[in-house]
Amino acid sequence: MKYYQFFRNGGSLIFEAEDDIIVAEDEFENDEYAEVYGSLYTDKINELKQVINSQNTIENEYKVFALEAGLGKSREVLRIIDESLDDWNNKQSYLVVKRFKTDIERSEKYLQRHNCSLQINALGITNENWSKEWQFKLDKLKNIRVLIISHQRYINLCLDDEVRQAFMENRNVLIIDEKVNFPIYTFSKNTYDEVRSLLHTSIQPEYDKVCQKLLKELQKQEVEKNMNKVVRCEPKIHPATLKNFQRDMELNIENEKDMKIRNTLLHFMAGLDQWYSTKCVYNGGNISTYNRKHKLWGLKNNIILDASAGIDGIYNLDKFKLIGQERIVDHSNSIFTIINFNSSKSHLRQNQSKFYPEICEKIKANHKSDDKTLIICHKDNHKSILDSLYKSEIYKIGVGDEYNGENFAINWFGNLIGKNEYSNFTQCWIIGTPNIPYDQYLVQYMMYRQSDLGRKSIDIERGRFKNNDFKAVQIGYIASEIYQSIKRIQRNKMPQGRFYIVNGDKQIVSMVLSQIKGTDIVKTIEMGFQQEKKGGEEKR
């Protein structure tokens, strides 16, 4: 894969790709999307530029730019910022929030020509330079025109008013690249057992005491046969009991050398404070909640880049304004096949002995010699797919992050955003429905709305919330994950891929296809065996 660097030389834009340099006289010259789609594309990029440079903003409003995946929103944002730094009349200062450390480093490199020995105008904050230098220079941050930080640092700043203010001072444009996923704190019997096993025996009695009310809540819900229901709950504990345990644990965590264990204990302690102080949701042996301080915080002009915003129910809330949703890239040369089968985890587990051999035979039969095939599934199921592919005599397969140019690759939901190594693949198979536990949809709703559930119904019918607001969050999440997965391949101006979606939910399939222009060739096929069902329709 070539790494492209963009920088200006006088009035022209230079694209540098390894050994070759092309000088473009204007911003869209030699842009393949502009060449094919003309004003459909350039108008969208100019709209993005206007949104970033806008002076007409509304306090606490977040403009969500939903230009489709693969069109280079992130690259164009950097180009727009680069231009503004060249413009003496443009006094904007930016806080850019990126998902990964590599994105931060690339963004800083893109803008580094604006730095000199006397003035830093673009700085990427990473764990390394923060701990060694910049945490001791908070007063200097306000003089830097562009700060680039990670999603995790943005989340951490929710909890530190003083440091957050240092990042906000003298800054007026916030650009968040992809939706921020704030932590959800879940307590279960498995959580209890895991954390207890990590503690010294001397502190285990205190641990048992502090977890007693949570364990009793789990027992109560099980006795009342609420395992498959969604229930509001508010466990309570005597403040002194919690405070004493927190004090003892501080010393234990401080002395812990293993970073993995240390992080597990820190996450548990962060959750412990919330389970006993914030309204919780129970479902399936889980008690879940969030930290009320974890919320979006912004500047004068706030922008979120999210290709799936048009179907993500979170963005239906009042604080968001969606723009740039129209689709541009023509997929009419691609073929979409819907395999009508309930692909929830539980249903796949019920049918695994027949499903995986048959679906892997279909994958093999449809794979031509010049194809590259990406298979996307639940992480828990990837070994079953791998074993069936081996039995089908397909042996060279890149798995997860261990991909080294193989013609077959398996990856899973939650591990795909930001990954571009599959961009030239010709086939994509979605084998699974990316459901999450019911309680987590409701916690997401509470986090982004910054309120509890009120008196709204949290009943479930045929695997979906009855309440329309909660249902929108649920199906929007699922459809967004599938859409983002599909867009990992054929990231070019005229896609010619073959896409196979194993899903029996017509509403979800319709939402996904609504985000892809030119889905003219869609066919539906069935699996060749009789499905086993348990208790009627199973959606989870």
Side-chain angles (χ1 to χ4, degrees), residues 120 123 125 130 134-135 137-147 163 165-171:
I120 297 176
L123 174 68
I125 298 286
W130 176 253
W134 289 101
Q135 66 171 322
K137 295 181 177 180
L138 293 182
D139 60 318
K140 304 293 185 184
L141 295 178
K142 64 178 180 287
N143 299 319
I144 301 172
R145 291 278 301 278
V146 186
L147 286 179
V163 178
Q165 186 56 42
F167 278 83
M168 296 172 67
E169 188 175 358
N170 200 33
R171 210 165 298 285

Side-chain angles (χ1 to χ4, degrees), residues 322-333:
L322 268 64
I323 51 180
Q325 296 183 66
E326 299 83 0
R327 288 344 196 187
I328 295 170
V329 177
D330 183 5
H331 289 75
S332 59
N333 290 325

Side-chain angles (χ1 to χ4, degrees), residues 330-332 334 336 512-522:
D330 183 5
H331 289 75
S332 59
S334 296
F336 292 81
V512 172
L513 296 181
S514 75
Q515 298 300 295
I516 303 171
K517 183 179 179 181
T519 52
D520 301 325
I521 307 175
V522 180

Side-chain angles (χ1 to χ4, degrees), residues 311-439:
I311 51 176
D312 190 330
I314 287 295
Y315 295 117
N316 292 341
L317 302 178
D318 292 340
K319 69 177 71 175
F320 301 110
K321 179 182 179 182
L322 268 64
I323 51 180
Q325 296 183 66
E326 299 83 0
R327 288 344 196 187
I328 295 170
V329 177
D330 183 5
H331 289 75
S332 59
N333 290 325
S334 296
I335 299 174
F336 292 81
T337 301
I338 310 304
I339 301 169
N340 185 29
F341 189 87
N342 181 346
S343 57
S344 67
K345 276 187 180 182
S346 57
H347 197 255
L348 291 179
R349 187 164 53 248
Q350 286 172 244
N351 292 273
Q352 59 184 336
S353 63
K354 296 178 181 177
F355 175 79
Y356 290 115
E358 182 174 329
I359 202 69
C360 288
E361 282 299 324
K362 289 182 185 296
I363 291 171
K364 180 180 180 179
N366 283 281
H367 183 92
K368 305 298 188 292
S369 60
D370 58 347
D371 276 331
K372 294 178 81 70
T373 297
L374 173 63
I375 302 161
I376 299 169
C377 60
H378 303 107
K379 185 177 182 180
D380 293 345
N381 295 342
H382 85 275
K383 289 184 179 178
S384 297
I385 296 172
L386 196 62
D387 289 344
S388 292
L389 288 173
Y390 288 158
K391 290 175 183 177
S392 297
E393 300 182 334
I394 298 171
Y395 302 113
K396 294 182 179 181
I397 308 164
V399 180
D401 295 334
E402 303 300 317
Y403 174 71
N404 293 299
E406 296 90 347
N407 287 337
F408 289 87
I410 299 176
N411 216 318
W412 40 85
F413 301 113
N415 195 45
L416 289 161
I417 292 180
K419 285 186 165 53
N420 293 320
E421 55 261 48
Y422 311 120
S423 60
N424 66 339
F425 273 49
T426 53
Q427 289 193 36
C428 178
W429 290 73
I430 307 293
I431 305 178
T433 301
N435 293 305
I436 55 177
Y438 293 122
D439 47 288

Side-chain angles (χ1 to χ4, degrees), residues 486-523:
I486 284 173
K487 293 294 287 186
R488 290 306 98 195
I489 78 164
Q490 288 293 293
R491 294 167 75 88
N492 58 62
K493 61 183 183 295
M494 288 295 291
Q496 299 184 52
R498 280 173 285 163
F499 301 86
Y500 301 84
I501 305 173
V502 182
N503 200 292
D505 190 314
K506 292 181 180 179
Q507 184 179 15
I508 295 293
V509 170
S510 177
M511 287 181 72
V512 172
L513 296 181
S514 75
Q515 298 300 295
I516 303 171
K517 183 179 179 181
T519 52
D520 301 325
I521 307 175
V522 180
K523 60 180 180 179

Side-chain angles (χ1 to χ4, degrees), residues 273-289:
D273 220 11
Q274 306 309 316
W275 295 316
Y276 284 125
S277 63
T278 309
K279 291 184 178 180
C280 302
V281 182
Y282 169 87
N283 172 249
N286 295 328
I287 296 172
S288 296
T289 192

